[in-house]
Amino acid sequence: MTSIVWPVLAGLAGPLAAVLVSWVVVSRTHRRDPGAVHGVMLTAFVVKMVFFAVYAVAMVKVLGLDVSAFGLSFAAFFIALYAVEAALFARLFRQVPGSKGPGLQGAR
C-alpha cells in the first residue's frame, strides 16, 4: 500500500502546482489588464509544456517512481484539476472588469 502513495502524490503535485500558479497569474492579470490575459495564457501554455516534460522525466527517471501509478494519477489529476480551472476561468471571464459581481452572464 505505501509503495503507491508516493507516485500518486507526485501525480497530484505537478498538476496542482501548475494550476495554482496559472490561476494566480491569470486572475491577477485579468484584474489589472484584461486585454493582456491572452498573451499571459499563451506564455503559460509554453512554460507548462516544458515544466510537465521535465517534471515527468524527473519523477520517473530521477526519483524512480512506478510509471503506471504515477502516469495514471498524473493523468487523472491533470484532467480533474484543469476542468476545475476551466470552470473558474469561465466564471472569471464573465465578470465585468472592476466589478465584484457576476457581470455579463448570459450576454453575448
Side-chain angles (χ1 to χ4, degrees):
M1 179 72 176
T2 59
S3 65
I4 200 164
V5 171
W6 289 114
V8 170
L9 288 177
L12 166 67
L16 181 61
V19 164
L20 289 175
V21 169
S22 66
W23 171 254
V24 168
V25 170
V26 171
S27 63
R28 284 183 181 175
T29 302
H30 185 266
R31 203 174 322 122
R32 280 181 299 158
D33 181 13
V37 169
H38 184 256
V40 168
M41 289 183 80
L42 284 174
T43 302
F45 177 74
V46 173
V47 169
K48 285 190 273 188
M49 282 189 342
V50 173
F51 167 73
F52 283 130
V54 171
Y55 181 76
V57 169
M59 293 296 117
V60 173
K61 297 288 185 182
V62 176
L63 294 182
L65 296 178
D66 178 50
V67 176
S68 298
F70 172 74
L72 287 173
S73 70
F74 181 87
F77 285 121
F78 184 92
I79 292 167
L81 290 169
Y82 275 91
V84 170
E85 184 183 38
L88 290 173
F89 279 153
R91 189 177 82 187
L92 175 70
F93 298 151
R94 280 193 305 263
Q95 292 178 350
V96 175
S99 75
K100 301 279 187 204
L104 301 174
Q105 290 182 346
R108 298 197 192 259

